[in-house]
Amino acid sequence: GGAREGAERVRDIVEDLRRLSADGSGELVVLDLAECARIGAHWVLRGARQVADLQITGQMPLRVRGRPGHVQQVVMNLVQNAVDAVAGQPAPRVSLHLSTEGGMGCLSVQDNGPGISEAAAAMIFDPFFTTKPVGHGTGLGLSISLKIAEEHGGHLLHLPSDQGALFRLELPLAEGAA
């Protein structure tokens, strides 16, 4: 039955997250942001109600310093938001792009959804602010993600875009990785 499959999928995800968060509080290590993006996108799409066309382009591998569990959480938040944003679009698409800029490893997540209004954009990083229907979002994803990025000495930005929403996670490059 569907309920058992659902329960098993949840259990798998919980196991993965537990494994990821086991190293969450610890030291900053060198990790591959491209690999984090791939794994995170895979998990989100496995749980998605609607299939979105996903593209990952750019610099791979992309070595940054971070706590893998925390970085994975941010990536999954960004991809989940993008997948939610394209629900109901005729040709839903989510694009992840990896690049380096000014000593930072950058992961850009762009969707072809309706985009974010200027009014909402001013509040999207506030705790509990959400544009999702009741019961669909805690409103904590972006505020937690921003906090994690800043704890890493990085940034999480919402950038103007001519199509959909565009977010960019920036984390310090691992020494000599440029």
Side-chain angles (χ1 to χ4, degrees), residues 73-106:
Q73 189 182 347
V74 174
V75 169
M76 288 178 70
N77 268 325
L78 293 177
V79 176
Q80 183 68 62
N81 284 349
V83 167
D84 288 348
V86 298
Q89 295 292 340
R93 198 172 68 248
V94 174
S95 309
L96 279 56
H97 184 72
L98 296 137
S99 59
T100 57
E101 199 177 304
M104 292 283 182
C106 307

Side-chain angles (χ1 to χ4, degrees), residues 81 115-131 139-144 146 156-159 165-167:
N81 284 349
I116 296 170
S117 71
E118 268 183 53
M123 297 186 286
I124 48 175
F125 292 109
D126 295 356
F128 303 115
F129 177 79
T130 180
T131 58
L140 288 172
L142 285 173
S143 64
I144 289 171
L146 175 63
L156 178 61
L157 310 163
H158 169 248
L159 299 170
L166 172 59
F167 285 88

Side-chain angles (χ1 to χ4, degrees), residues 31-91:
L31 60 97
D32 178 5
L33 189 53
E35 178 75 352
C36 276
R38 201 183 54 71
I39 292 171
H42 171 76
W43 271 118
V44 171
L45 288 177
R46 266 184 67 172
R49 288 182 299 281
Q50 175 190 12
V51 178
D53 176 31
L54 179 87
Q55 291 160 335
I56 304 181
T57 57
Q59 201 168 325
M60 297 179 247
L62 179 52
R63 300 194 191 288
V64 296
R65 296 189 75 75
R67 297 183 181 92
H70 287 182
V71 173
Q72 194 74 60
Q73 189 182 347
V74 174
V75 169
M76 288 178 70
N77 268 325
L78 293 177
V79 176
Q80 183 68 62
N81 284 349
V83 167
D84 288 348
V86 298
Q89 295 292 340

